[in-house]
Amino acid sequence: MKKLILSVLCLLVLAAGGAYAFLVLKSPEAAAPASVKVEATAERLERGRYLFQVVADCGGCHSPRNPEKFGMMPTPEGTGSGFVFPDGMGFPGKIVGPNITPDLETGLGQWSDGEKIRAIREGVSKDGRALFPFMPYQHFAAMSDEDVYSLVAYINTLPPVKHALPRTELDFPVKYLIKFAPKPVTAKVGAPDRMDKVKYGEYLVRMGDCIGCHTQMEKGEPVKGLEYAGGHEFPVGSFLVRSANITPDEETGIGKWSEERFVAKFKGYANLTYENAPRTAQANFTLMPWYGFSQMTEEDLRAIYAYLRTLPAIHNPVDMHPALAMPQS
Ligand code: HEC
Ligand code: HEC
């Protein structure tokens, strides 16, 4: 009997060791980068700027930010030169939004356009490693070919900034599990149909990664069944904000909001600039990129509203700006 237990134990250890070796050695699913050289037309540069600064807030994760300015606004200088996320935010490791300016040594200066497109939509870095899916590539996978070309055309024109940063360091086992996240985009991705307001809104909501911030997390995972129902906590230094419930629930979500009220809420921040931004306080602390989203066209905001109305209403009361007992600096 003892012998049997021993052999079973040995087998288990071997199996676990094998699984571990498999995870360590596994490379992410990756296709060769496209051999495209993106032509920078004026139209693409403008569309790319809009996607980068407004809809997808690339700058929010890839630019230095000022914690003292409302919404931790990105600084006007150094756009795209990278951002190290502060400790204590509940990430499984040290998270760094890399320098994506065209600097030759510390940015994407040596990357081909195809490699940039692959990183953005498929989550594979130049060297073939899987990117941590906090970089919303699983949503950007739906980005149209023309939109990703526009983005690449735009980031190619960012002023190169020499800014060396450490690499993202994930804890075990997340560092191995993320190898399953990248997926090649194999077919052409057409532009979203703007005439279909709900579908177009869904596209924008994916590009803006609303679900990433507006879904409650538990042990680093979004809670199933609470998509868009808010309550995701963002502790930064001595401040804490929880995201809003943006499902159509009448009591705890935005069910009672008219389309006009929704648009007005965003447009209420339209004059916000780095210079006039209020000082961060617990009562106004947020990571919602109002600075960018408030610049969205009304057509786009109305489409987003139309899509959000189609979500299941989820009852989930959220205290967005809790009064904190902690002393504030
Ligand atoms: C929510 C935060 C977030 C947003 C929004 C975001 N990124 Fe990222 N991005 C990251 C992080 C973090 C990494 C690095 C992940 C890693 O190293 O595992 C990354 C990696 C990248 C890389 C690969 C760089 C390298 O050196 O491997 C590129 C290119 C990139 N992002 C471009 C973009 C663009 C363009 C946008 C906007 C369309 C964008 N990102 C939006 C967080 C973000
Ligand atoms: C980086 C995180 C983040 C992203 C991305 C984000 N939000 Fe938010 N959002 C928040 C937080 C935190 C709040 C609560 C504090 C505040 O109102 O600023 C909030 C508040 C809101 C509110 C106000 C609700 C109310 O009851 O006052 C609306 C509406 C909203 N978000 C919609 C969206 C939409 C639509 C998107 C995607 C296009 C989005 N958010 C993306 C973090 C985010």
Side-chain angles (χ1 to χ4, degrees), residues 9 58 92 106 126 135 143 163 183 191 204 213:
L9 272 178
C58 313
T106 62
K126 182 179 170 72
M135 155 74 191
M143 194 182 289
H163 186 210
K183 291 270 174 300
L204 295 166
C213 284

Short mmCIF file of all heavy atoms in Angstrom, two decimals, residues 9 58 92 106 126 135 143 163 183 191 204 213:
data_model
loop_
_atom_site.label_atom_id
_atom_site.label_comp_id
_atom_site.label_asym_id
_atom_site.label_seq_id
_atom_site.Cartn_x
_atom_site.Cartn_y
_atom_site.Cartn_z
N LEU A 9 2.40 9.42 -5.77
CA LEU A 9 2.97 10.72 -5.45
C LEU A 9 4.04 11.11 -6.47
O LEU A 9 4.09 12.24 -6.95
CB LEU A 9 3.59 10.71 -4.05
CG LEU A 9 2.62 11.05 -2.92
CD1 LEU A 9 3.33 10.95 -1.58
CD2 LEU A 9 2.01 12.43 -3.12
N CYS A 58 -4.32 55.71 -25.36
CA CYS A 58 -3.02 55.04 -25.32
C CYS A 58 -2.10 55.80 -24.36
O CYS A 58 -1.30 55.19 -23.63
CB CYS A 58 -2.37 55.00 -26.70
SG CYS A 58 -3.43 54.48 -28.05
N PRO A 92 -0.72 41.95 -10.49
CA PRO A 92 0.12 40.79 -10.16
C PRO A 92 1.56 41.01 -10.60
O PRO A 92 2.10 40.26 -11.41
CB PRO A 92 -0.54 39.66 -10.98
CG PRO A 92 -1.13 40.36 -12.16
CD PRO A 92 -1.52 41.74 -11.70
N THR A 106 15.37 53.34 -26.89
CA THR A 106 14.48 53.02 -25.77
C THR A 106 13.01 52.94 -26.19
O THR A 106 12.15 52.66 -25.37
CB THR A 106 14.62 54.09 -24.66
OG1 THR A 106 14.22 55.36 -25.22
CG2 THR A 106 16.04 54.20 -24.18
N LYS A 126 8.10 42.64 -30.06
CA LYS A 126 9.04 42.42 -31.16
C LYS A 126 9.81 41.10 -31.01
O LYS A 126 10.02 40.37 -31.97
CB LYS A 126 10.01 43.60 -31.23
CG LYS A 126 11.04 43.52 -32.38
CD LYS A 126 11.93 44.76 -32.35
CE LYS A 126 13.11 44.64 -33.28
NZ LYS A 126 12.75 44.73 -34.70
N MET A 135 -2.67 45.54 -21.25
CA MET A 135 -2.61 46.22 -22.54
C MET A 135 -3.78 45.62 -23.33
O MET A 135 -3.79 44.40 -23.60
CB MET A 135 -1.26 45.93 -23.20
CG MET A 135 -1.20 46.03 -24.73
SD MET A 135 -1.24 47.74 -25.30
CE MET A 135 -1.49 47.49 -27.05
N MET A 143 -9.88 46.05 -33.89
CA MET A 143 -9.58 47.34 -34.55
C MET A 143 -9.45 47.12 -36.06
O MET A 143 -8.76 46.20 -36.50
CB MET A 143 -8.28 47.90 -33.97
CG MET A 143 -8.03 49.35 -34.30
SD MET A 143 -6.44 49.93 -33.63
CE MET A 143 -6.75 49.98 -31.88
N HIS A 163 13.98 57.46 -23.09
CA HIS A 163 13.47 57.21 -21.74
C HIS A 163 13.48 55.70 -21.53
O HIS A 163 12.58 54.99 -21.98
CB HIS A 163 12.04 57.78 -21.62
CG HIS A 163 11.48 57.71 -20.24
ND1 HIS A 163 10.14 57.59 -19.98
CD2 HIS A 163 12.08 57.77 -19.02
CE1 HIS A 163 9.94 57.56 -18.67
NE2 HIS A 163 11.10 57.67 -18.06
N LYS A 183 -3.47 36.15 -29.71
CA LYS A 183 -4.13 35.41 -30.81
C LYS A 183 -3.87 36.17 -32.10
O LYS A 183 -4.13 37.37 -32.17
CB LYS A 183 -5.65 35.37 -30.61
CG LYS A 183 -6.13 34.52 -29.46
CD LYS A 183 -6.40 33.08 -29.89
CE LYS A 183 -6.76 32.19 -28.70
NZ LYS A 183 -5.73 32.09 -27.66
N ALA A 191 -13.80 48.35 -41.70
CA ALA A 191 -14.21 49.47 -40.86
C ALA A 191 -15.60 49.20 -40.29
O ALA A 191 -16.42 48.56 -40.94
CB ALA A 191 -14.23 50.76 -41.68
N LEU A 204 -16.56 51.26 -30.47
CA LEU A 204 -15.89 52.32 -29.70
C LEU A 204 -15.68 51.89 -28.25
O LEU A 204 -14.64 52.19 -27.64
CB LEU A 204 -16.72 53.60 -29.75
CG LEU A 204 -16.85 54.24 -31.14
CD1 LEU A 204 -17.95 55.29 -31.15
CD2 LEU A 204 -15.51 54.86 -31.56
N CYS A 213 -12.14 48.81 -17.01
CA CYS A 213 -12.20 49.62 -15.78
C CYS A 213 -13.55 49.51 -15.09
O CYS A 213 -13.65 49.77 -13.90
CB CYS A 213 -11.94 51.10 -16.09
SG CYS A 213 -10.22 51.51 -16.38
#
